[in-house]
Amino acid sequence: MPAPAKDFVHLHVHTDRSLLDGCCRIDRLVAHAASLGQTALALTDHGNLYGAIDFYTETKKQNLKPLIGCEIYLVEGSRLEKKGRAEEGKSWYHLGLLARNLEGYQNLLKLVSDAHLRGFYYKPRADWETLARHARGLIAFSGCLAAPIPQHLLHDREDTARQTAARLIDIFGRENFIIELQDHGLPEQRKIIPGLLKLAEEFNLTTIASNDVHYVRATDAAPHDAMLCIQTGAKLDDPNRLRFDTQEFYLKSHDEMARLFAEVPASITNTRLVAEMCDLAIPFPKGSERYPRYPLPPEIKTRHTPSEYLHQLCVAGLRRRYATDHAAISQHPAVAQRLAKLQNLPPGEKPQPPDYTGLTHDELLVVRMTYELSIINITGFVDYFLVVWDFINWAKQHAIPVGPGRGSGAGCLVAYTLGITNLDPIRFGLLFERFLNPERVSPPDFDIDFCMRRREEVIDYVREKYGRDCVANIITYGTLGAKMALRDIARVNNLPFAESDRLAKMIPDELNITLTDSLAKSAELRDEIARNPLAKRILDTALVIEGMVRNTGKHAAGIIITDRPLDEFVPLSLQEEDVTVQYDMGAVTELGLLKMDFLGLKTLTVIADAVENVRATDPAQKTFDIDTIPLDDPKTYALLNAGKTIGIFQLESTGMQNAARQIGITTIDDINAISALYRPGPMQFIPDYARGKKNPAAIAYPHPLLQPILAETYGIIVYQEQVMECARIIAGYSLGGADMLRRAMGKKDAEKMAKERGKFVEGAQRVNNIDQRKANEIFDLLNKFAQYGFNKSHSAAYALISYQTAYLKANHPVPFMAAVLTAELGNAEKVSHFIAEAESMGITVLGPDINESGAHFTPVGDSIRFGLAGIKGVGEQAAQKIIEERATRGPYDDLAHLLNRIDGRALNKRVLEHLIKTGAFDYTGAPRRQLLDNLDAALAAAAATARDRAAGQTSLFDLLAPAPKTKPKTNTTP
């Protein structure tokens, strides 16, 4: 039972998000505060707001009042100066702030963001000017020993302390500036308490007592000490390392604090008053109000609303994709009748899913597109679609490869007509409701694959288009898992690596396993702990720090885009030189911000390079387009069924090769099914799929009504979309409602499942007169497969990429393998692996040649030349100089000819040595040893020639030299 509520409230708490100083996991911290009878709790991490939203939601769960704040770093001069120190050698002071209200929170966001983006110099710093500009709605505290007033008092500068207090009162107001007393057993703190009380009396200020909380319990002092060692790279036995001077920095109870400040009892009760001053409610919008607004071009804006413009783009896309005339088809009576039910609805009324029965293909397209647009309109995501269309359209206009789709977005016909996806959802039977569900409005989520090499160009375009202050990356937190926690604690205890490795290997190799679970599952670990006191001490410490934040990073793909400057919604920092949101992906989603995943997919780069190689080496394929290849190519399926899938996207593992042989792939739908089935769980159904494909008589359907849905997978439920369709057919669910059922099944929510079962059984009886026993049987079957079912939209989109790579390998093997090798430049093991595969295909991979090699692996007839940039020690820049000169003035006769034509600064001796050693000049017939021995002389001669040219001298040989060749004699494609 929680302790009864007391008057004391902790107002100075650091979490593990402080990285260095804090050792308080937010969940454990808040749970312990609740058990102590706290009514409120304050977050004041150093210089950041990393965990503010997690802290806010966790305290709400525990019925505690969340107080959001920050202990900022304050400089006396300008935060823009990257030098200067305060007195006593301090570069900055600490200053504690709490948000009284939403305005204060927003000012805190701006202060913290500015400190990281503009004031960062070793620490994220604010100055007095920015503090005054963003002071409204904030409460300030005199602070810990590192704050300005305590520092002045500590060094006997009472007048300066008084002036600083007056300055803070001027900025925040008397009622919003609080004198803070602390006592962790430090003599310095006890020295300044009388001075602080004197200032409080002189200025009539509220006084509070606080305890600087850096770890949760008193017993966590040692683990916190170990955490400091982990963060600073020190060992526990290092006498000069960073350490806290006392063990009093834990979450103390009301009684402990009351005893500590018995002489100033009001300072305890005043903490409750400060908490009551704070009334912060952070808004969590559910719709698209914080999404960016697509800036319509002026010529469009005068004629169309965003919704009308989106409709216009879709109509044009419908004609381009399907040659369907939207205007003409809309006049068909069967279509006009259905469209009338989707348009001009009363405000707030959602359109009902249309009936597609009896429609022709073109009619279905028009009705479905109109339905999707009506849902997009009513849910407020028009601008979202325009934003995504815009940057994908820009990427395609600039020849940046874009994936055909990823995730449930491939089931959206509007996305296909806009060119956001490149997979026909009608052909593949994909469902819009799996993407945007009108019965449970959640934001649509397009995760887009781009060529690895050029992904950053698209992100830069988005930054320029929507404003650099409105676009940022998302932070990631690296946490201490079981093995890492154990290894780190072993290291700081000076345990030899071999011993710590032995100990870590006792933890079972299971994903996300905890130390507690490891102890339960590993008898070896339990025995070691029982007999080895040091191992027990290490494990006990690791149990406390497990799950703590160890470091921060930048999400590999996540980008936030907003309609207003980001620091109005979130705190910002810099990660790897990029502006990054301090809140993680879950928090930014809660805050209603648009998260886009700009993913880099190496295979798209391979495909793009292979296509360029095909165009460059085959005169008949100058306009080769991977998007127009046939999906029924016999050579492609023969290659897949032969198991020759090395280099083929998703299909190159031995298990996938065996599955392909077992099934006998004849259509892209088989690739789709294999991709979905080849996972733990559904893998057991691959033989059933293969048997049904080869022998239709062996297929068994759970109910005859399900045959149309399950025929493509031979009676097996493979996809989530099939679960939804089965619920629709059997029990009369709408597809939106069926998606809700699928989600409930996936989450194994017993209460929701009981309700859905009743609804399903009743619907089966009402719609199809199916008895209760059979309905329950079908429900159980759907529930089983919902655990295995894969998102068909995602697997179909990736099946297309698999097919494209297989088609290239089967029909254009040399250009394809050259592209595959290029993608692995720098990875010697993989290059060796793919060279072996090329040679098994009868393709010779030739060594580098200064006249035939491109920067990367280059197709030359039926062979592949090693790329110059792939030679260790040469690099991209030198390779490009060689190739550009060769393309302009023809091939090189020999080494001397090369040196006389290219600036010596671009080709140093080291680069030339690597070129010679790898055989790039073997075509001249000169032995490599001879070229290396004469290299210094050749370089000196080239330098002398260059000096003569610069001086205007010309040799007899220059006069007799032939005119530069304008065309190379051999292939020079980079």
Side-chain angles (χ1 to χ4, degrees), residues 72 90 205 494 502-503 539 552 608 649 651 669 765 794 823 841 844 846 889-890 897 949:
I72 66 169
K90 291 186 71 63
L205 301 172
N494 242 340
R502 184 180 69 84
L503 198 60
L539 183 82
T552 59
F649 182 64
L651 302 179
D669 300 296
Q765 171 67 41
H794 183 73
M841 296 164 62
T844 303
L846 305 168
R889 300 178 61 197
H897 194 207
R949 284 195 191 119

Side-chain angles (χ1 to χ4, degrees), residues 899 904 907-910 912 934-945:
L899 293 176
L907 292 180
N908 59 36
K909 182 179 178 182
R910 182 168 171 272
L912 292 164
N934 296 333
L935 183 56
D936 286 333
L939 283 166
T945 301

Side-chain angles (χ1 to χ4, degrees), residues 399-532:
I400 298 173
V402 183
R406 168 192 272 264
S408 55
C412 177
L413 179 62
V414 165
Y416 183 58
T417 61
L418 291 172
I420 292 173
T421 59
N422 203 28
L423 188 80
D424 183 351
I426 309 301
R427 153 66 180 84
F428 286 91
L430 309 179
L431 303 180
F432 172 67
E433 288 80 1
R434 178 65 182 81
F435 172 61
L436 187 56
N437 185 341
E439 296 184 33
R440 181 183 179 275
V441 178
S442 53
D445 187 14
F446 282 118
D447 297 337
I448 319 292
D449 290 312
F450 293 99
C451 161
M452 287 278 291
R453 200 180 295 142
R454 303 187 64 190
R455 165 183 169 271
E456 285 297 327
E457 293 178 46
V458 187
I459 296 174
D460 283 340
Y461 168 76
V462 171
R463 286 196 176 105
E464 293 302 322
K465 178 92 176 185
Y466 298 97
R468 291 190 170 268
D469 57 348
C470 296
V471 180
N473 293 77
I474 304 174
I475 202 167
T476 56
Y477 297 112
T479 55
L480 289 160
K483 286 193 178 186
M484 183 181 286
L486 206 64
R487 288 181 187 278
D488 275 340
I489 296 301
R491 179 186 61 77
V492 302
N493 277 278
N494 242 340
L495 196 70
F497 174 78
E499 272 298 294
S500 67
D501 189 53
R502 184 180 69 84
L503 198 60
K505 285 178 177 176
M506 294 177 187
I507 295 173
D509 285 321
E510 294 180 20
L511 190 64
N512 298 325
I513 192 169
T514 64
L515 286 170
T516 303
D517 288 342
S518 300
L519 277 170
K521 294 180 179 182
S522 173
E524 186 183 12
L525 183 61
R526 291 195 302 273
D527 292 344
E528 182 69 18
I529 300 307
R531 70 167 190 81
N532 185 342

Side-chain angles (χ1 to χ4, degrees), residues 33-104:
S35 74
L36 291 176
Q38 290 277 296
T39 55
L41 196 64
L43 168 80
T44 54
D45 274 341
H46 285 141
N48 67 67
L49 288 164
Y50 284 158
I53 297 301
D54 291 345
F55 180 87
Y56 183 89
T57 54
E58 193 67 30
T59 47
K60 291 275 191 182
K61 283 181 198 171
Q62 294 281 0
N63 293 318
L64 270 69
K65 184 175 185 176
L67 310 175
I68 302 299
C70 179
E71 193 170 37
I72 66 169
Y73 295 97
L74 181 67
V75 291
E76 286 291 352
S78 169
R79 74 201 186 287
L80 305 178
E81 293 179 1
K82 306 302 182 187
K83 59 180 181 179
R85 289 185 174 274
E87 297 176 59
E88 286 75 53
K90 291 186 71 63
S91 298
W92 48 73
Y93 294 118
H94 292 185
L95 186 71
L97 302 172
L98 277 185
R100 281 192 71 161
N101 48 34
L102 185 59
E103 182 184 24

Side-chain angles (χ1 to χ4, degrees), residues 898-908:
L898 172 76
L899 293 176
N900 282 324
R901 286 170 57 179
I902 296 182
D903 189 336
R905 288 171 295 185
L907 292 180
N908 59 36

Side-chain angles (χ1 to χ4, degrees), residues 860-907:
V860 181
D862 293 330
S863 304
I864 297 173
R865 274 286 178 197
F866 204 97
L868 297 179
I871 302 171
K872 187 176 180 180
V874 173
E876 192 84 28
Q877 190 173 359
Q880 289 297 345
K881 286 284 185 185
I882 294 169
I883 293 161
E884 287 167 10
E885 169 66 17
R886 186 180 74 201
T888 304
R889 300 178 61 197
Y892 305 101
D893 297 338
D894 52 26
L895 176 61
H897 194 207
L898 172 76
L899 293 176
N900 282 324
R901 286 170 57 179
I902 296 182
D903 189 336
R905 288 171 295 185
L907 292 180

